[in-house]
Amino acid sequence: MAEKIGELLINSGLIDSHQLNEALRIQKNTNKKLGTILVELGYVSENKLVEFLSKQYKTQSVKLDEIEVDQTLLQVIPAKLAKQYIVFPVRREGKNLYLAMSNPADVFVVEDLKFTTAHNIIPLISSEKKILEFIDKYYKQDDNLEIDLEEDNEINLDDIVDENIEVIKKDENEKADEVVSDLAASVDSGPIVKIVNNLITKAVEEGSSDIHIEPYDQSLRIRYRIDGVLRPIDNPPKWTFRKSIVSRIKVMAHMKLQEARLPQDGRIKVKVHGKPIDIRVATIPTMYGEKVAMRILDREKVEFEFDKLGFDPDLEKKLIKSLRNPVGIILITGPTGSGKTTTLYTCLSKINSPEINITTAEDPVEFSLDGVNQLQVQESVGLTFASALRAYLRQDPNVIMVGEIRDKETAEIAIRASLTGHLVLSSVHTNSTAGTITRLINMGVEPFLISSTVNCIVSQRLLRRICDNCKVPHKISEEELKHLGFTPEEIGGAQLYKGMGCEKCGGTGYKGMVGIFEVMDITPEIRKAIMKKMTTDDLEKVAVQNGLITMREVALRKMKQGITDVLEVVKETALR
């Protein structure tokens, strides 16, 4: 593009070829715009260059020295956008916003500003040098980036060790990074980096699965989810740091820095104490700023073994039996954060071998599995679970894993895949194994298709483990047990335990989590019940008659084994 403009300048008689070559040589080392360099070298005047560009772009020019700057427009185009895109607001007429730009042909900038400002953008030609002068003159230092170390009494930055965490750059095969703006450069150094690094490092050290950063009226709350429970951190950063902290996280996650009015998703790869950690980042706009949720995925912490997840031997045998079936559907169900994806990965690891072709469609890909072809769903470009599944059927697969069945289309393609000789694994958001059948029927899937393809349904929850360091025997009276919904027969005289609370468990009495699972084989009797469109309760009764061990019973097993306590059983399982 620079060469083309240069040739046009030569043809117009404003410069000669020698001057153009010298300017292009300087441009390679400075990345400045060609016009700016030619003006700096004195080869062409600023006014003549603007006049020339105005004719080439067929856009009206503007002399910034002659305009009266409207201070209200500096709020419409904030400093970070003005510096990033090198634009300056000139005037507003209704919904039309006139901006001085050095490159009005950049449609991406125009569209982005149109969306961000909710105005129709009318470009006006001006020189880059003059625009930058006006930005420096009229925009004050961004208050969000002013960090007063003397006032930061809540975090001792000297105690934060940067060497504990290392941000892993994107691979060459991944999407290229966007150009980092002035704002990005500012939040990419100094105390804000230390604060964010410290938050991530401490979260990993404490075994947190999530970090929540929540802005309120005059406070900033940061919470870690540890063993399934959210806990506020001590001495959170100052409220005035909230925007800079969010900006730093968005830079690390390769998200749009200037977009604060729509939800965004991103991903961060870091090493904490040498361990590779993946972090999924999601932001949403709230009344007082952007809220950030960060899901921490510790690759080394996860073990894809059924017994490590908490499967009892008899339930593991049931599931493995279904996994050995070359055709059919296996569904994993449970609430968000219950470990469905980990169970799916464990199933794939169990059957993974060079003799079979395993393909997955996930949103997002949480862990990389050797020998498994994994695809990241991108609904923004039309790559949905349904379209990915349809494409995979042409890839000669033996086993297909679909991250989640969300609609009728995906469900029907999964069923079609199983009917044509494939084993399909997927997840559904329901509360029980029997409820999964009802959910599929509500999606619009015919009962005869469900009964003929689904082999097994696994429902799961997570219980907190009693801390081994402060575990003590715990006696509960029969009256208390009845109040909690238990009968003496259910307990069977077993010794119960609870955690007293200690330093290792943070005073909670719990350390770590264990899964509880309800595995329902689809027997001939259950298939008949599905064809009759029985209710969820009636389906469960038929399943119990055919050997279903309910989640309540599995949880009671864990309690009797001293793994968890009675309060966790009550909280995570329900009487039906």
Side-chain angles (χ1 to χ4, degrees):
M1 182 65 184
E3 286 84 351
K4 184 178 178 181
I5 293 294
E7 290 173 5
L8 292 172
L9 285 167
I10 292 174
N11 294 335
S12 65
L14 291 175
I15 61 172
D16 57 37
S17 58
H18 173 73
Q19 292 170 332
L20 173 62
N21 291 333
E22 185 178 355
L24 288 173
R25 179 181 58 79
I26 295 173
Q27 187 183 41
K28 288 181 181 179
N29 298 324
T30 62
N31 288 324
K32 290 183 180 180
K33 291 190 176 180
L34 182 66
T36 301
I37 297 171
L38 290 170
V39 171
E40 289 177 350
L41 292 173
Y43 294 154
V44 63
S45 71
E46 191 172 313
N47 289 337
K48 286 187 177 181
L49 177 65
V50 170
E51 184 181 344
F52 166 79
L53 293 175
S54 177
K55 291 178 181 179
Q56 292 300 321
Y57 288 121
K58 297 180 180 180
T59 303
Q60 184 180 349
S61 63
V62 61
K63 294 181 179 180
L64 292 180
D65 290 326
E66 297 177 2
I67 70 168
E68 183 177 343
V69 176
D70 185 346
Q71 296 291 334
T72 62
L73 295 184
L74 302 182
Q75 302 300 318
V76 179
I77 300 290
K80 61 183 180 182
L81 285 183
K83 291 177 182 177
Q84 180 178 0
Y85 292 138
I86 312 180
V87 299
F88 191 84
V90 176
R91 67 179 184 273
R92 176 168 52 186
E93 296 177 358
K95 294 295 290 182
N96 293 333
L97 180 63
Y98 291 79
L99 294 181
M101 301 177 64
S102 61
N103 182 13
D106 193 334
V107 293
F108 295 105
V109 170
V110 172
E111 287 301 314
D112 199 3
L113 290 171
K114 180 180 179 181
F115 180 81
T116 305
T117 64
H119 284 74
N120 296 320
I121 302 300
I122 310 297
L124 301 174
I125 283 283
S126 185
S127 70
E128 181 182 43
K129 181 181 178 182
K130 183 60 67 175
I131 294 172
L132 289 173
E133 283 180 9
F134 267 60
I135 290 173
D136 291 338
K137 181 178 179 181
Y138 288 98
Y139 282 103
K140 295 179 181 179
Q141 183 70 22
D142 192 340
D143 293 335
N144 297 335
L145 302 180
E146 284 290 330
I147 299 176
D148 188 351
L149 297 183
E150 297 298 325
E151 292 184 3
D152 185 21
N153 299 321
E154 298 173 358
I155 292 183
N156 186 354
L157 298 175
D158 293 333
D159 294 338
I160 302 174
V161 182
D162 282 333
E163 287 75 14
N164 289 341
I165 184 168
E166 172 193 351
V167 180
I168 301 174
K169 302 297 183 184
K170 281 194 173 185
D171 297 334
E172 291 181 2
N173 295 330
E174 294 188 44
K175 185 179 178 181
D177 296 348
E178 297 178 1
V179 177
V180 180
S181 67
D182 291 343
L183 177 62
S186 299
V187 298
D188 206 27
S189 62
I192 291 300
V193 170
K194 290 187 176 183
I195 290 173
V196 174
N197 286 359
N198 186 53
L199 290 174
I200 295 174
T201 300
K202 286 193 175 297
V204 173
E205 290 173 348
E206 295 184 18
S208 172
S209 61
D210 300 85
I211 305 172
H212 290 259
I213 301 174
E214 304 160 323
Y216 293 98
D217 188 11
Q218 291 295 325
S219 64
L220 180 66
R221 182 171 71 173
I222 299 180
R223 296 185 291 173
Y224 293 159
R225 187 178 293 279
I226 301 173
D227 297 337
V229 178
L230 285 169
R231 304 180 194 172
I233 68 168
D234 297 328
N235 301 322
K238 297 178 76 66
W239 178 76
T240 52
F241 289 178
R242 69 197 187 285
K243 290 186 179 180
S244 297
I245 290 173
V246 172
S247 295
R248 168 59 184 166
I249 292 169
K250 288 167 75 173
V251 167
M252 294 172 71
H254 305 279
M255 299 160 77
K256 288 184 178 180
L257 194 59
Q258 72 277 8
E259 180 54 74
R261 302 191 304 171
L262 286 175
Q264 291 192 71
D265 294 304
R267 192 165 187 165
I268 300 172
K269 292 183 179 181
V270 296
K271 284 185 178 180
V272 179
H273 299 305
K275 290 197 311 180
I277 303 291
D278 278 357
I279 303 175
R280 283 162 41 193
V281 182
T283 64
I284 59 169
T286 68
M287 185 181 298
Y288 300 109
E290 289 181 275
K291 178 188 180 298
V292 181
M294 305 169 70
R295 171 65 56 87
I296 298 172
L297 304 170
D298 189 343
R299 304 178 200 174
E300 296 183 357
K301 194 175 179 181
V302 178
E303 297 180 85
F304 299 127
E305 296 290 341
F306 287 118
D307 58 335
K308 301 291 185 183
L309 299 183
F311 271 89
D312 290 341
D314 53 341
L315 301 179
E316 181 181 340
K317 287 179 183 177
K318 276 188 178 183
L319 181 53
I320 289 176
K321 179 183 175 183
S322 294
L323 286 170
R324 287 175 178 163
N325 196 328
V327 297
I329 298 175
I330 296 174
L331 297 174
I332 313 295
T333 182
T336 301
S338 61
K340 296 187 297 297
T341 302
T342 303
T343 302
L344 285 170
Y345 281 169
T346 305
C347 290
L348 293 181
S349 298
K350 196 71 178 178
I351 60 176
N352 188 13
S353 72
E355 289 79 26
I356 63 173
N357 179 15
I358 301 177
T359 56
T360 76
E362 306 170 54
D363 184 20
V365 176
E366 294 193 2
F367 295 99
S368 176
L369 299 176
D370 289 337
V372 177
N373 304 292
Q374 296 172 271
L375 179 145
Q376 168 74 54
V377 169
Q378 297 185 57
E379 294 192 1
S380 60
V381 296
L383 185 56
T384 62
F385 282 120
S387 61
L389 185 52
R390 195 180 290 111
Y392 271 157
L393 291 176
R394 299 190 290 272
Q395 292 289 320
D396 186 32
N398 299 103
V399 179
I400 300 173
M401 191 269 270
V402 185
E404 184 182 346
I405 293 178
R406 298 175 179 172
D407 50 41
K408 180 182 178 182
E409 183 185 12
T410 308
E412 288 183 340
I413 298 172
I415 287 171
R416 195 181 311 139
S418 68
L419 289 172
T420 53
H422 305 91
L423 179 62
V424 180
L425 287 79
S426 189
S427 69
V428 183
H429 275 284
T430 56
N431 293 321
S432 65
T433 52
T436 304
I437 302 296
T438 307
R439 171 74 178 126
L440 291 174
I441 293 174
N442 289 340
M443 281 184 188
V445 182
E446 293 293 336
F448 76 90
L449 290 174
I450 299 172
S451 65
S452 60
T453 56
V454 178
N455 294 338
C456 180
I457 303 174
V458 179
S459 183
Q460 65 184 77
R461 297 285 192 283
L462 292 174
L463 299 180
R464 289 186 291 175
R465 289 178 178 269
I466 299 172
C467 175
D468 290 329
N469 190 58
C470 58
K471 182 177 179 180
V472 296
H474 180 48
K475 288 185 178 181
I476 304 179
S477 67
E478 288 188 14
E479 186 176 338
E480 288 178 294
L481 287 173
K482 289 179 181 178
H483 179 71
L484 292 169
F486 296 100
T487 63
E489 290 75 22
E490 283 181 308
I491 304 301
Q495 175 64 65
L496 304 182
Y497 295 88
K498 73 172 184 178
M500 295 299 292
C502 63
E503 289 185 6
K504 287 190 175 181
C505 62
T508 63
Y510 302 99
K511 187 68 175 175
M513 305 193 80
V514 63
I516 52 172
F517 302 87
E518 185 177 279
V519 182
M520 184 169 78
D521 283 327
I522 308 300
T523 63
E525 290 76 12
I526 294 176
R527 295 187 194 280
K528 291 176 183 177
I530 295 171
M531 292 293 290
K532 293 178 182 178
K533 296 185 179 181
M534 283 190 176
T535 64
T536 298
D537 289 343
D538 290 338
L539 268 173
E540 186 170 292
K541 289 176 183 176
V542 174
V544 170
Q545 292 169 3
N546 282 264
L548 175 70
I549 301 172
T550 65
M551 195 170 292
R552 179 82 166 191
E553 294 176 70
V554 176
L556 286 171
R557 288 183 185 180
K558 303 295 184 188
M559 185 179 71
K560 291 176 183 178
Q561 293 167 2
I563 296 173
T564 191
D565 63 18
V566 65
L567 294 178
E568 282 294 295
V569 175
V570 172
K571 186 180 72 166
E572 296 296 338
T573 63
L575 289 171
R576 297 187 65 85

